[in-house]
Every structure is written in structure tokens, then in C-alpha cells.
Amino acid sequence: MTVAKELLGKLLVHETKEGTTIGRIVETEAYEGPEYKASHAYNNLRTERTEVQYGPKGHAYVYQIYGMYFCFDVTSGRLVGKPEAILVRALEPIDGLGVMMRRRGVSNGQIANLTAGPGKLCAAMGISKKQNGVDLCVPPLRIETGGTRDERQIVQTGRVNIDYADKWKYLPWRFFIKNNAFVSRPN
DNA sequence: TGCACGATTCTCT
DNA sequence: GAGAATCGTGCAA
């Protein structure tokens, strides 16, 4: 929960040969295993997919969903070996807008549509399973301080699309920046 | 080896 | 608001 809030306002930077893209993190969700069913690592489920959640913290956990989209998480928690991760659900585009638009397959229109959603931000930032497990403290994919974050502007609500998680689906482990136009779902 | 489904997005109504 | 697109993953057999 601490890291989910701390990540808000920080910058995600990806340097690729297509160019550098930068986005400010504005929406996150916390997934803590093994006790809570919403987590992929519920019950200490340990497979090829979930493996990086058990590794070093501050690394990328990238997985594919619905056969066509990727989601990007940051591994977190105090203990290596205990699976915890923060899903990044939305970014505010800061730099590399042209590259983002090309990757998203749009030539004009809403900037808010570029990175408002976990699948969208991965496409815009050029994140795929190739980035699974990389250290987010060093290039080419890294998180930087420098963004701003006002503790009073953080909204806390329930997580999105985890109906399968029984009673745990009601936990208020989603955080986003109030009134920010780039949040995926402003409620 | 087979099968149901998802931490989503887009389009159409 | 409903339905499609689309396939890796996890679990049953």
C-alpha cells in the first residue's frame, strides 16, 4: 500500500531505438500475495508467469492478458520471496508523444486515450514480455523521481475487474490522483 | 492433451 | 451496455 501510493507522481522512462517515452504514474493497484485471492500469486502459486514476483523488488512484472494486451507491474514488498506487486493502470504522457501515438496506432485525437489503462500504457511505452523481470532502477526501462505528488490529492477505491477474487475484491487497494484526466476510470 | 477464462480494449447499438 | 477479438496460463484429466 505504501509503494502503491509512493509510485503516484513518479516518472516511468523507457529508452528504445524508436525514441524515449516518459509517463507520469497517476493510477496504481496493489496486489499482495499469498494471502489475498486477487493476486496471481495467491496461495503462493509459483509458475513461470508469477516467478518474478518472488524475485528482487523494484523489478518489472509483465504479463499478457486476454490474449492481446500486456499489463505492467512493479515488484514490491519488504521480503524477497514474498510475492507482492503494484499494477500501473494509467500514465500521464510527458514526453515522446509522437512515438506513443505511432505505437498505439492513432494519428490524431485524444492524448488522454494514449495511456489511460494498463493495456494502453504498455502499448504506448513499448512494454511487452521482453521487459519481464528487468531492473527498474537502470536504463533502458526505469522509474525516476521528479514528478509531483500531493498526499491530499490521492483517491483510494476498490480495484478493477477482479470479480473472481471473492470477498477480497472489495479491498480498497486502488489509488489514483484526484481530478487527473489520464486516470482510466475516475471513480 | 484439452479446455475455460482473464489485473482489457474497441466497436457497435 | 453488450459482444468480439485472441491466446497464454493454470488446472483437470
Side-chain angles (χ1 to χ4, degrees):
Chain A
M1 269 30 82
T2 302
V3 177
K5 283 184 282 188
E6 291 277 333
L7 281 175
L8 292 177
K10 292 199 164 37
L11 302 178
L12 181 63
V13 183
H14 196 192
E15 299 167 16
T16 70
K17 60 170 184 275
E18 301 168 271
T20 298
T21 46
I22 303 177
R24 178 171 173 255
I25 298 173
V26 298
E27 180 180 350
T28 60
E29 286 183 358
Y31 286 88
E32 179 176 348
E35 301 95 340
Y36 304 93
K37 188 168 181 177
S39 169
H40 290 163
Y42 176 58
N43 214 12
N44 271 316
L45 180 69
R46 191 158 185 160
T47 63
E48 188 172 355
R49 179 176 67 150
T50 63
E51 187 59 32
V52 300
Q53 287 205 50
Y54 295 83
K57 309 309 183 182
H59 285 222
Y61 169 46
V62 183
Y63 62 93
Q64 195 173 14
I65 191 66
Y66 297 112
M68 50 200 330
Y69 299 107
F70 293 101
C71 291
F72 169 76
D73 294 41
V74 181
T75 58
S76 62
R78 287 192 181 84
L79 303 173
V80 171
K82 185 172 189 298
E84 298 180 18
I86 311 299
L87 171 66
V88 177
R89 288 191 54 88
L91 301 173
E92 176 177 338
I94 300 296
D95 202 3
L97 281 279
V99 178
M100 291 186 186
M101 290 175 70
R102 197 169 336 118
R103 286 176 177 151
R104 290 273 289 119
V106 296
S107 54
N108 60 349
Q110 298 289 334
I111 294 176
N113 189 38
L114 281 178
T115 53
K120 294 178 187 177
L121 95 241
C122 283
M125 294 292 292
I127 294 173
S128 70
K129 274 176 71 171
K130 285 195 294 292
Q131 279 73 39
N132 190 35
V134 301
D135 185 350
L136 294 171
C137 294
V138 297
L141 180 63
R142 69 186 193 279
I143 292 171
E144 281 191 354
T145 57
T148 57
R149 178 177 66 99
D150 183 344
E151 190 76 42
R152 294 164 302 179
Q153 294 302 110
I154 295 177
V155 180
Q156 179 170 176
T157 64
R159 291 171 291 181
V160 176
N161 285 341
I162 53 166
D163 285 345
Y164 59 88
D166 300 341
K167 63 185 177 185
W168 293 287
K169 72 181 181 182
Y170 302 110
L171 290 170
W173 286 359
R174 172 169 174 253
F175 305 88
F176 62 88
I177 295 180
K178 191 176 186 177
N179 296 327
N180 185 283
F182 303 94
V183 166
S184 70
R185 308 168 67 154
N187 63 317

